[in-house]
Amino acid sequence: MSPTVQELRNTIRVATGRFEREVKASFTKEELQAICELLGTDVDDTGRPSTSQMRRLIRSHVDIAESMEAADDSTFRKSDLQAIADEVEASFEP
């Protein structure tokens, strides 16, 4: 049985050293930044990148999009989350 969106988010959170959430919630700005750091992506030099910028950066880094400019900045879909989980080597345990 494949994991739910919430289970995938929590698996990614744990892989980045964050806590699981019991409620359904998109990634916070801090969680997105932790994902970027784990992926080794170069986050904005100002230290305050926007959430949409980080989503595009993550999508381009895990090959969901061809480039950051071509990447969508909306919240992650299940297939996006699976690709991110694979990239950060997060494993789902039911």
Side-chain angles (χ1 to χ4, degrees):
M1 187 166 147
S2 71
T4 65
V5 168
Q6 182 61 19
E7 290 168 332
L8 284 168
R9 281 191 194 113
N10 278 333
T11 299
I12 295 167
R13 285 182 177 109
V14 170
T16 60
R18 304 292 175 178
F19 294 102
E20 290 185 23
R21 293 181 177 227
E22 292 187 24
V23 296
K24 292 181 181 180
S26 296
F27 291 121
T28 64
K29 189 171 186 172
E30 292 79 16
E31 290 168 336
L32 289 171
Q33 193 159 8
I35 293 168
C36 287
E37 289 172 9
L38 186 62
L39 292 173
T41 59
D42 186 25
V43 181
D44 187 27
D45 292 335
T46 64
R48 300 189 59 120
S50 69
T51 55
S52 60
Q53 179 184 9
M54 286 187 285
R55 285 189 196 111
R56 291 192 333 263
L57 186 61
I58 292 166
R59 280 189 170 100
S60 65
H61 187 81
V62 299
D63 296 327
I64 295 169
E66 291 181 24
S67 68
M68 189 166 158
E69 292 76 22
D72 184 9
D73 66 355
S74 64
T75 57
F76 296 116
R77 294 180 272 313
K78 187 173 183 176
S79 60
D80 299 340
L81 293 169
Q82 187 62 59
I84 295 165
D86 292 345
E87 190 72 24
V88 299
E89 298 178 359
S91 59
F92 171 72
E93 304 277 335

